[in-house]
Amino acid sequence: MTDAFKIGIAGLGTVGTGVIKILTQNADIIAARAGRPIEIMAVSARSKNKDRGVDLSNYDWVDDAGDMAARDDLDCVVELIGGSEGLAADLVRGALNGKKHVVTANKALVAHHGYELAEIAEGNGVSLNYEAAVAGGIPVIKAMREGLAANKFSAVYGILNGTCNYILTEMRETGRDFADVLKDAQEAGYAEADPTFDVEGVDAAHKLCILSSIAFGVKPDFEALTVSGISRINATDITFASEFGYRIKLLGVAQEVDGEILQVVEPCVVPIGSPLGAIEDVYNAVYVDGNFVETPLLTGKGAGEGPTASSVVADIIDLARGISLPTFGVPVSQLKDLSPLDAGACKGSYYLRLNVLDQPGVLAEVSAILRDHNISVEGMSQHGRDPDQPVPIVLTTHEAIHADMVKAAELIEALDFCVETPCLMVVRDI
Ligand code: HSE
């Protein structure tokens, strides 16, 4: 067996601790697969004395993670600090410039600075691996960069945030409220340091941005994404969606049409029995449309210590084996600038939930606005009847133009009897 592959780990939170556990517990099998042992030389975190349930006594403790970039006893720096700027970004730039490979789980960093970092990695003859940044334990980066590399992709759809999927599933199954379920997700180690990144769709957007770059050969362009989260979804929507045969899912959608790319993260309704409708709990799924493979579905746990650390260690094993790939699947010089598709021109069927005073003429006025925007109603349901209280009404539509649907929802909101911003979600049959 050849020399050990030597790593430093910066960041000992949920994922960092998990990486040490896997490298310790599965050391023999990992060494056999990598063709050499993986040796942890140094570790770094904010607090030295915290009990993490792992023995750190055999590793050098580094107070300033940034110092790992300059250590000449490391082949690879494993960055598990997180955040798109500051210490994590400085460490990754420094390590790549110092000709060390980098493995990271940091989706914000790759989404915001991926192109620059890919240039630095390529210029220094080293790799930037980030399997754990997207969909936790599912090897989706490997699948898209390698296993599906023969295909031209037209679309990538994903349930990319375990916290949101867990919250939506728990709310539906148990009737518990949003804040209560979010707390569980935080305690289980699924949620981001700032959970608004989860519930407002930002975390899923970071991941979609990365997948879109690999799928379409474009520079990661986070600013080109349209993002909304699940905080406006309430128990009424969850109940109505079920009644219409749907599940509510926070979906990431990237589609290429004639060289233009749509990138959107938003809550959508999907049929209960569809491939993505069946993905529940903390599970993630990525569903791609490739011109020869057709539509494979990859699914597994998208968050948590074990699944995420499993992907980090797989990246380390690849590097120890000597496998090196272009960061986004093609050399940086071939990555194109992204040309965004106008979302307003897209067509779809919609779910529209209103909260209105229950009085004569409401439906007539709503229908008139829909008629004026060329929107045809497919189904309707009203729950409850109380002249003194607002009642929820849900309409589903036939195919309509997105900009028309948004305009109609704005006009309905302005009517006197409408007491709340309508909830509008596209129906995706995936
Ligand atoms: N907070 C993320 C999620 C896990 O809930 O999916 C790490 O990406």
Side-chain angles (χ1 to χ4, degrees):
M1 213 171 255
T2 48
D3 290 345
F5 186 74
K6 295 178 177 166
I7 67 169
I9 302 175
L12 295 174
T14 305
V15 182
T17 307
V19 168
I20 293 177
K21 286 182 194 165
I22 296 179
L23 287 174
T24 308
Q25 200 174 317
N26 287 358
D28 291 347
I29 201 168
I30 288 170
R33 287 180 181 152
R36 56 204 288 204
I38 312 282
E39 193 175 339
I40 302 171
M41 305 297 292
V43 293
S44 178
R46 255 199 306 253
S47 150
K48 186 172 180 181
N49 298 321
K50 183 172 163 185
D51 180 10
R52 299 175 169 88
V54 289
D55 178 11
L56 303 177
S57 60
N58 291 328
Y59 321 132
D60 284 351
W61 180 268
V62 179
D63 283 322
D64 179 352
D67 292 347
M68 285 204 190
R71 284 179 71 117
D72 53 18
D73 61 345
L74 300 181
D75 297 302
C76 171
V77 170
V78 181
E79 183 277 304
L80 302 171
I81 298 165
S84 64
E85 313 298 328
L87 185 55
D90 294 344
L91 172 61
V92 170
R93 285 191 187 98
L96 295 172
N97 276 316
K99 302 194 188 307
K100 290 175 181 48
H101 300 295
V102 169
V103 171
T104 182
N106 189 337
K107 52 257 156 175
L109 179 69
V110 180
H112 285 283
H113 301 298
Y115 179 68
E116 175 213 342
L117 297 175
E119 273 189 315
I120 301 175
E122 205 172 291
N124 285 284
V126 289
S127 295
L128 172 65
N129 282 0
Y130 50 89
E131 182 66 69
V134 182
I138 315 172
V140 62
I141 303 300
K142 188 167 262 298
M144 292 187 65
R145 280 198 311 192
E146 298 176 57
L148 301 172
N151 290 269
K152 177 174 167 54
F153 297 106
S154 53
V156 181
Y157 305 97
I159 293 177
L160 297 170
N161 186 269
T163 299
C164 286
N165 212 40
Y166 175 78
I167 291 173
L168 292 169
T169 306
E170 276 290 298
M171 284 175 72
R172 193 190 75 246
E173 287 181 346
T174 66
R176 292 167 66 206
D177 72 24
F178 182 91
D180 196 24
V181 183
L182 172 59
K183 207 158 147 273
D184 278 4
Q186 288 174 290
E187 280 167 12
Y190 303 152
E192 294 305 294
D194 176 355
T196 58
F197 271 39
D198 294 298
V199 298
E200 298 306 340
V202 178
D203 174 77
H206 289 145
K207 295 165 181 169
L208 184 71
C209 177
I210 296 169
L211 293 180
S212 182
S213 171
I214 299 173
F216 307 122
V218 293
K219 298 174 189 173
D221 186 351
F222 189 74
E223 304 311 318
L225 270 132
T226 307
V227 185
S228 59
I230 63 165
S231 56
R232 68 196 163 91
I233 306 299
N234 62 28
T236 309
D237 293 309
I238 291 176
T239 307
F240 269 113
S242 295
E243 185 183 313
F244 278 89
Y246 295 124
R247 293 281 180 255
I248 299 175
K249 298 289 170 192
L250 183 72
L251 289 192
V253 176
Q255 290 172 325
E256 205 232 289
V257 182
D258 298 332
E260 295 187 330
I261 295 170
L262 175 77
Q263 298 182 130
V264 55
V265 171
E266 62 186 359
C268 301
V269 296
V270 297
I272 288 173
S274 69
L276 295 186
I279 306 298
E280 299 279 52
D281 204 65
V282 72
Y283 283 80
N284 280 194
V286 176
Y287 183 84
V288 299
D289 196 341
N291 61 345
F292 282 90
V293 70
E294 299 182 6
T295 51
L297 175 73
L298 300 150
T299 183
K301 284 202 169 174
E305 179 185 296
T308 312
S310 158
S311 286
V312 171
V313 175
D315 273 349
I316 299 169
I317 293 172
D318 262 359
L319 294 170
R321 284 168 166 160
I323 295 171
S324 182
L325 294 171
T327 309
F328 297 106
V330 296
V332 277
S333 60
Q334 288 185 37
L335 287 169
K336 295 168 284 188
D337 286 317
L338 185 150
S339 174
L341 183 77
D342 174 15
C346 293
K347 287 184 180 165
S349 302
Y350 290 85
Y351 164 105
L352 178 66
R353 192 256 306 151
L354 312 174
N355 212 9
V356 292
L357 300 175
D358 193 3
Q359 59 195 29
V362 168
L363 277 181
E365 287 200 52
V366 169
S367 328
I369 291 174
L370 296 177
R371 177 202 60 208
D372 293 348
H373 291 81
N374 213 20
I375 297 160
S376 173
V377 172
E378 184 210 35
M380 203 209 89
S381 176
Q382 174 175 328
H383 282 186
R385 196 199 181 296
D386 183 341
D388 302 320
Q389 294 293 326
V391 292
I393 294 179
V394 167
L395 300 148
T396 57
T397 78
H398 292 295
E399 199 167 76
I401 293 172
H402 183 68
D404 289 341
M405 217 46 236
V406 171
K407 185 70 200 165
E410 279 170 13
L411 292 174
I412 292 168
E413 183 176 1
L415 297 172
D416 285 346
F417 54 71
C418 186
V419 299
E420 192 185 310
T421 302
C423 175
L424 179 65
M425 290 184 278
V426 69
V427 179
R428 297 219 181 252
D429 282 321
I430 45 178

